[in-house]
Amino acid sequence: MAPSKSMILRFESKDGQFRLTVDPSDLFPSLLSRILDKLPKTVDSRTLTLSNKPHDGEDRLLSSLEGVAIERVGLKNGDKLFVKYSDQPPMNGHSSAPPATSTQPHNSSNRLNGLPILPTEDLPIAPLPQTSPTATIKNPWEVIQQSPLDDRLDKQDGKIPRPRDQKMCRHGPKGMCDYCMPLEPYAPEYLTERKIKHLSFHSYLRKINSATNKPELKSSYMPPLSEPYYRVKRECPSGHPPWPEGICTKCQPSAITLQAQQYRMVDHVEFASPAIINSLLDFWRGSGSQRLGFLYGRYEEYTEVPLGVKAVVEAIYEPPQVDEIDGCTLLEWENEKGVDEVARLCGLQKVGVIFTDLIDAGVGDGTVICKRHIDSYYLSSLEIAFSARLQAQNPKPTKWSDTGRFGSNFVTCVLSGDEDGGIAITAFQVSNSAVEMIRADIVEPSADPSVMLVRGEEEDDGSPSRTRYIPEVFYRRINEYGASVQENAKPSFPVEYLLVTLTHGFPTESTAMFNTSDFAIENREAMGESQELQAVAKKLGVTGNKGRPDPEKGVRSASDFHLLCFLHGMEILSKDEEALLCRVSRTHDLADGFQLLNTPGWATLLAILEESGERPPKRALASSYEAAKESFPDSDQLTKRFKGASLR
């Protein structure tokens, strides 16, 4: 049989015409990727339809022509087909791909090479490992999986609606003009009116993406985000020996000009209950020493800011530490992975850190000294370095960055005195430039908490450093004449250039996940508090109830994050039973509570608590005396007889 000759088919759509060279034996679904390459990137591939006429023709979905060859429908060389389709809703100036099925590949709007993304691919939750800090990921929107919250915010329009202006609008109720049209989420007039100091991350993303990628130009998509990099690039194309033996303008970092970061990764910190803060303050009230804890919670949408994000704190875990009056020193945290696993089973994650900085005023009314204010500092240089390291350890995965990550959602909270002598919470993040400067070893903390030192290129012994390169660092300030001037940051500069302030608060109606917090908090042996099996037995109601707690009480009492972490360390429950326990603690479902009571692991736990827990209280002395008196009527004479006897 002679091979079939190729032929040309013409296609016409609302966006123009194109032609394809095909074989008569080709199946129609095989043309999908080639047709999408000729169409705009916003096309929804599920709606792609072919027709023999521009109007009132026989319209057939391309996906419905599975197994149908081109020659079977009688098409000849030079025939024209009409292509019809719908567009996807815009997302950050770029299109979002619809869900794909086994027979329907993803649309090419989120890819550049035209290859379909199979739905069975295992997409990582975190950025891929990189051989070099400067290595970029090809098509990060295909391989990076963001958090569900980021995906939801990407799909939102984000525009700020405005009512019809009664004075300036001259159109009807269904019209629109410049005075009533919706504003972009980064509109400066709206931020000034609402006194919003920083853009939210997704508003900032919309702003720079609209300037980087213009869909009307039909140019190749470029990730709009790029993390700062202040270190020497290792893979220099110039061919000279690697630094410190050689360096050139292509691999050395540029000069750094510090300025206030105009966006923040998290806009608000919400504590689910005041009891979470009071439990941390109780340590300072009882010992006078400072205390540090890690915040466990989740990220949610914050509606007070356009496309905002808030961190909802549900629990504070206090790691091993040595506490003193003027600070604390962290020790090795051996069970950190176990605590993170318990938080994951509860639907939580590590969202930040909190520490106290309190000094009693000494007047006896409970007031504290105000150390942090506008004339001193809000976060010291040492605390900024500490926060920067924690943010570097918790990067934010995002498909809008060429490296697959950008910034961090990790927050830092401080409990300190305010100007009225009360205890107040302040929330911060350090800028992305601060994180990179700490990572590159460019700056170091100073003895003066309000300034940060720029390091020199020499080691402590005076020899040239072989591990760090210090570029020029500048910052801008307003001088005494009101003019903006640029100054060299060496040897030091104010820490305000590295800070981003966040708002904080409590919900109007408390909806805390954990409804009890009376179990002993971990690592408080210095105060005489320890987590004991007797405390677990008492909390679960084992004592005094013959080892069988009341089901409703068991469900309520198990809703304690510190108790869950202690039970995880006992390693009695299986993984499924522990997941069920965390679900009971999170949802307070009585049906799940009964299911938990009938598991073998829980029965084993109750048996252990019954043996090692508190014993049932003995009978009262009076009742025992009356019973003995009834059994022995002559006991009074027996007592008199032994009254004068002594044991030798």
Side-chain angles (χ1 to χ4, degrees), residues 345-365:
L345 293 176
C346 294
L348 307 177
Q349 60 177 312
K350 195 183 300 178
V351 299
V353 66
I354 186 171
F355 55 88
T356 62
D357 184 20
L358 298 167
I359 299 178
D360 186 72
V363 295
D365 57 354

Side-chain angles (χ1 to χ4, degrees), residues 178-195:
D178 292 341
Y179 298 99
C180 61
M181 66 182 299
L183 296 175
E184 295 291 342
Y186 48 84
E189 58 270 24
Y190 179 82
L191 300 178
T192 303
E193 178 185 355
R194 295 299 181 94
K195 297 182 180 180

